[in-house]
């Protein structure tokens, strides 16, 4: 596919401007919230100050295990339902209001958790509320970013979501490090400070939500054409009569005309649209994409990262690294650095397909080494390590850091980007919710299955996840096309054409860059979907059940 930015059509330099990137950064800030959560919560709820304050010390061993699992799963389950609720919110209110609601829910949950002193029920309530907010964010943000992006830099724009997640994750690692080394772990500050820090990314996101520009695509769907054109002019820094703007409007009109047909004959409002979407699932290329999204999310969650997170402290401790929190933080630095570098400089040069296959294969090899080392050296249980086992442990530490780098440009973020790119506008909101549900369902399954797998398989868990990485390479080779630079309007051809089950043939079928032909009509050639109604009339009629 080549290692360069591919343009779908002649693109004026003004299109790649500071405004579109600033908007992308503000929207992507939503990922800071759950990036931070993933890093801080596991350590925080096991600190002596937390367990004493909330009565966990008085629980039996099985109750403690159940409580820890429930604190994690309540958040994940709430994320799933937040993603479900995101779809009607996007349809009825729009992308911007949906994110404003998510920011409010998340911050209320963070305040409830921070205010709790001895009531474990308040911690659970806060976890559920923050989970609902995060679920909405994960369903809305990737699709919103893809809608606002010029196709040649859509990977960078959508990748800002993953970059923000990694930054939040990194901050969480080092907040834990700072608390461990500077605060009495038996005091309330040891858990209240990291919980309260959630309000910083939550507050930043809430403030940013006040200044978002609504998606031009959604505004045209609502009949607010003048506002849509103003937003498009602002984002592209081009006048409305410029050919590039006219072509983009033509593509939007063409797709929205198709979307208006989705609910045709099924009644009005969200119910009619939902039934129409189910009817669209009868189209094989659409159904194929929905299946692929859940496949990507399951492969992402079963590719070994959960095992590395669990075992790395034991490996660090076993080889004589006394400051485990420091090395865990360094692991976070490797992962975040790799992600930021790739999603800024590499995603629209190297693409999605090849990096994901390289990443999965490399991660699989790392997991095989780690599994073999744990099988032979028993670093977690041996009282005295031989010299060779210590050297193997040093190599294992290096392998863990390499895994972080390889993982950073593969399954860590690419499923979000690909899933945000491959659906037509008419299914964009429900597809975003579907991807969010897939992520959180797969995450719930992985977190629930892992302890049982570890108990039964021990070191074999690494080999199992290495096998999943091998399956990821095969899955990507056969079914995931290269989507860099391909307009969303051309995805139907890509997923419904002759390469659908043979995506390695993409370039030979669509030479020279593997980009399917783009079909669109200029606005003056397109029939307006509003039939002369005033702005907003059609949308209000469509939204009323």
């Amino acid at each position: 596919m080549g290692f360069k930015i591919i343009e779908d059509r002649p693109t004026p330099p003004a299109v790649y401007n500071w405004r579109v990137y600033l908007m992308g950064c503000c929207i992507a800030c939503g990922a800071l919230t759950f990036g931070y959560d993933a890093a801080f919560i596991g350590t925080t709820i096991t600190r002596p100050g937390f367990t004493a304050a909330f009565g966990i010390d008085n629980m039996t061993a099985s109750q403690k295990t159940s409580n820890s699992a429930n604190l994690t799963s309540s958040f994940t389950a709430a994320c799933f339902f937040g993603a479900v609720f995101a779809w009607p919110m996007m349809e009825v209110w729009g992308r911007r209001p949906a994110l404003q609601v998510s920011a409010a829910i998340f911050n209320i949950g963070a305040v409830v958790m921070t205010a709790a002193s001895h009531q474990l029920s308040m911690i659970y309530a806060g976890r559920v509320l923050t989970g609902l907010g995060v679920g909405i964010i994960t369903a809305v943000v990737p699709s919103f970013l893809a809608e606002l992006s010029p196709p040649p830099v859509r990977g960078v724009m959508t990748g800002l979501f993953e970059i923000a997640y990694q930054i939040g994750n990194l901050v969480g690692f080092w907040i834990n490090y700072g608390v461990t080394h500077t605060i009495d772990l038996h005091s309330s500050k040891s858990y209240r400070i990291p919980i309260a820090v959630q309000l910083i990314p939550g507050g930043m996101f809430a403030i940013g939500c006040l200044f978002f520009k609504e998606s031009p695509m959604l505004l045209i769907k609502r009949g607010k054409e003048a506002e849509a054109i103003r937003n498009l002019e602002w984002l592209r820094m081009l006048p409305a009569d410029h050919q590039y703007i006219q072509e983009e409007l033509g593509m939007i009109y063409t797709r929205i005309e198709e979307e208006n047909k989705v609910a045709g004959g099924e009644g009005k409002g969200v119910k009619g649209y939902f039934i129409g979407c189910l009817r669209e699932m009868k189209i094989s290329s659409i159904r194929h994409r929905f299946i692929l999204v859940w496949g990507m999310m399951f492969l992402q969650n079963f590719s070994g990262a959960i095992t590395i997170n669990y075992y790395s402290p034991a490996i660090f401790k076993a080889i004589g690294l006394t400051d485990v929190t420091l090395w865990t933080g360094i692991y976070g630095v490797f992962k975040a650095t790799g992600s930021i570098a790739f999603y800024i400089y590499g995603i629209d040069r190297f693409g999605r397909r090849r990096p994901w296959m390289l990443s999965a294969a490399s991660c699989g090899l790392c997991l095989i080494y780690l599994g073999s080392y744990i099988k032979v050296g028993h670093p977690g249980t041996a009282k005295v390590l031989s010299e060779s086992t210590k050297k193997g442990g040093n190599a294992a530490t290096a392998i863990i850091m390499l895994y972080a780098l390889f993982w950073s440009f593969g399954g860590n973020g690419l499923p979000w980007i690909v899933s945000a790119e491959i659906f037509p506008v008419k299914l964009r909101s429900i597809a975003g919710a579907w991807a969010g549900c897939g992520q959180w369902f797969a995450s719930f399954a992985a977190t629930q299955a892992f302890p049982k797998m570890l108990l039964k398989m021990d070191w074999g868990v690494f080999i199992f996840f290495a096998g999943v990485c091998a399956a990821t390479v095969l899955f990507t080779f056969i079914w995931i096309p290269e989507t860099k630079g391909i307009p969303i309007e051309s995805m139907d051809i890509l997923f419904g054409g002759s390469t659908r089950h043979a995506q390695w043939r993409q370039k030979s079928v669509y030479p020279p860059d593997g980009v399917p032909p783009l079909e669109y009509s200029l606005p003056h050639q397109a029939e307006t979907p509003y039939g002369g109604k005033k702005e907003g009339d059609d949308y209000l009629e469509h939204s009323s059940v």
Side-chain angles (χ1 to χ4, degrees):
M1 296 298 295
F3 298 143
K4 65 181 187 300
I5 294 178
I6 296 175
E7 295 185 341
D8 58 308
R9 54 202 157 112
T11 303
V15 170
Y16 311 120
N17 62 74
W18 64 269
R19 289 177 181 173
V20 73
Y21 289 113
L22 179 62
M23 268 281 290
C25 290
C26 290
I27 294 169
C29 272
L32 290 171
T33 57
F34 67 100
Y36 176 74
D37 181 274
F40 97 91
I41 192 65
T43 303
T44 299
I45 63 176
T46 60
R47 288 203 170 105
F50 184 90
T51 58
F54 294 96
I56 298 173
D57 285 348
N58 300 323
M59 295 179 180
T60 64
S62 61
Q63 287 175 330
K64 289 179 181 179
T65 302
S66 296
N67 181 70
S68 178
N70 290 338
L71 282 171
T72 302
S73 59
S74 61
F75 177 83
T76 308
C79 288
F80 175 86
F81 287 105
V84 172
F85 298 148
W87 172 70
M89 291 170 64
M90 282 191 283
E91 278 301 306
V92 176
W93 298 340
R95 279 54 161 164
R96 182 171 175 258
L99 291 180
Q100 290 172 333
V101 170
S102 72
I105 293 174
F106 179 88
N107 284 299
I108 291 171
V111 168
V112 169
M113 291 178 69
T114 304
S117 54
H118 302 290
Q119 308 89 345
L120 191 58
S121 59
M122 289 182 67
I123 298 295
Y124 275 104
R127 293 289 287 164
V128 169
L129 287 171
T130 53
L132 285 171
V134 164
I136 297 170
I137 288 169
T138 55
V140 177
V141 168
S143 295
F144 194 8
L145 289 170
E147 285 180 2
L148 297 176
S149 307
V153 293
R154 191 174 59 233
V156 171
M157 287 285 289
T158 315
L160 292 172
F161 182 71
E162 177 61 25
I163 290 172
Y165 172 84
Q166 291 300 333
I167 292 173
N169 206 242
L170 190 60
V171 170
F173 277 126
W174 289 104
I175 288 286
N176 272 335
Y177 177 80
V179 168
T180 299
H181 288 271
T182 61
I183 295 176
D184 178 6
L185 299 184
H186 292 82
S187 70
S188 62
K189 290 181 181 179
S190 67
Y191 67 86
R192 203 179 298 279
I193 288 176
I195 288 175
V197 169
Q198 291 181 99
L199 290 166
I200 297 176
M204 290 171 57
F205 184 58
I207 293 170
C209 284
L210 300 175
F211 302 100
F212 292 166
K213 296 285 186 181
E214 185 57 274
S215 164
M217 292 183 182
L218 184 71
L219 289 171
I220 291 178
K221 281 172 59 177
R222 292 181 167 189
K224 298 182 178 180
E225 295 150 339
E227 185 180 352
I229 292 172
R230 286 196 300 271
N231 285 3
L232 204 54
E233 285 183 301
W234 187 87
L235 284 167
R236 303 292 182 252
M237 295 186 72
L238 294 171
D241 58 357
H242 192 283
Q243 182 180 356
Y244 188 90
I245 298 291
Q246 291 295 302
E247 289 174 351
E248 188 161 359
L249 287 170
M251 289 184 271
I252 292 173
Y253 275 110
T254 299
R255 282 300 176 186
I256 290 177
E257 286 176 5
E258 294 181 10
E259 181 174 353
N260 286 346
K261 298 174 185 177
V262 170
E266 304 292 352
K268 298 175 182 178
V270 171
K271 179 181 177 181
Y273 182 72
F274 180 72
I275 295 173
C277 288
L278 292 180
R279 189 180 61 240
E280 289 289 311
M281 291 284 287
K282 295 179 181 178
I283 301 172
S284 60
S285 67
I286 296 294
R287 186 169 61 250
H288 177 65
R289 278 174 271 185
F290 275 104
I291 293 171
L292 287 184
V293 166
W294 271 52
M296 289 188 290
M297 294 306 179
F298 267 86
L299 291 171
Q300 176 197 51
N301 281 278
F302 283 89
S303 293
I306 186 174
T307 311
I308 296 291
N309 291 339
Y310 178 86
Y311 253 117
S312 57
I315 294 175
F316 295 150
K317 188 179 294 185
I319 62 177
L321 299 174
T322 55
D323 198 341
V324 172
T325 54
L326 173 63
W327 283 95
T328 304
I330 293 172
Y331 169 77
V333 169
F334 272 83
K335 191 165 64 168
T337 302
S339 293
I340 292 170
F342 178 71
Y343 290 109
I344 290 178
Y345 299 108
I347 183 69
D348 284 316
R349 290 172 174 80
F350 306 135
R352 291 70 157 147
R353 175 181 164 84
R354 289 180 179 176
W356 199 352
M357 288 191 290
L358 175 62
S359 168
S362 302
C363 286
L365 293 175
C366 290
L367 290 167
I368 289 172
Y369 175 85
L370 291 171
S372 302
Y373 170 69
I374 290 171
K375 166 65 176 174
V376 175
H378 305 289
T381 57
K383 294 182 179 180
V384 179
L385 297 182
S386 66
E387 194 62 32
S388 61
T389 302
K390 289 181 180 178
K391 290 180 179 178
N394 291 331
T397 302
I399 290 292
I400 288 172
M401 302 308 166
L402 284 176
Y403 178 92
L405 284 176
F406 293 136
W407 172 245
S408 69
F409 63 82
N412 197 28
L414 287 176
W416 289 108
I417 293 175
V418 175
S419 64
E421 294 178 320
I422 62 178
F423 288 96
V425 175
K426 60 185 177 182
L427 300 175
R428 182 75 52 74
S429 56
I430 199 168
W434 175 260
C437 288
Q439 155 64 21
W440 294 113
F441 185 82
S443 177
F444 181 83
T447 54
Q448 290 295 311
F450 176 70
K452 299 178 180 66
M453 293 172 63
L454 191 62
L455 186 64
K456 295 284 186 181
M457 303 170 67
D458 191 37
W459 62 273
V461 171
F462 284 89
I463 307 304
F464 171 81
F465 285 136
V468 174
C469 288
T472 301
V473 175
L474 185 63
F475 179 88
T476 306
F477 181 73
I478 296 173
W479 286 296
I480 304 300
E482 181 52 74
T483 57
K484 73 169 181 178
I486 296 178
I488 290 174
E489 293 74 19
S490 296
M491 294 295 176
D492 286 345
I493 301 174
L494 186 61
F495 282 92
S498 58
T499 64
R500 177 174 149 192
H501 296 297
Q503 293 295 0
W504 66 87
R505 298 179 56 241
Q506 179 183 352
K507 191 171 181 179
S508 62
V509 173
Y510 307 111
D513 295 312
V515 180
L518 176 65
E519 297 178 1
Y520 59 86
S521 301
L522 292 177
H524 68 273
Q525 297 172 310
E527 203 175 300
T528 175
Y530 306 104
K533 298 178 184 179
K534 290 189 292 184
E535 283 190 353
D537 286 353
D538 184 78
Y539 174 75
L540 293 173
E541 180 180 310
H542 179 74
S543 295
S544 60
V545 179

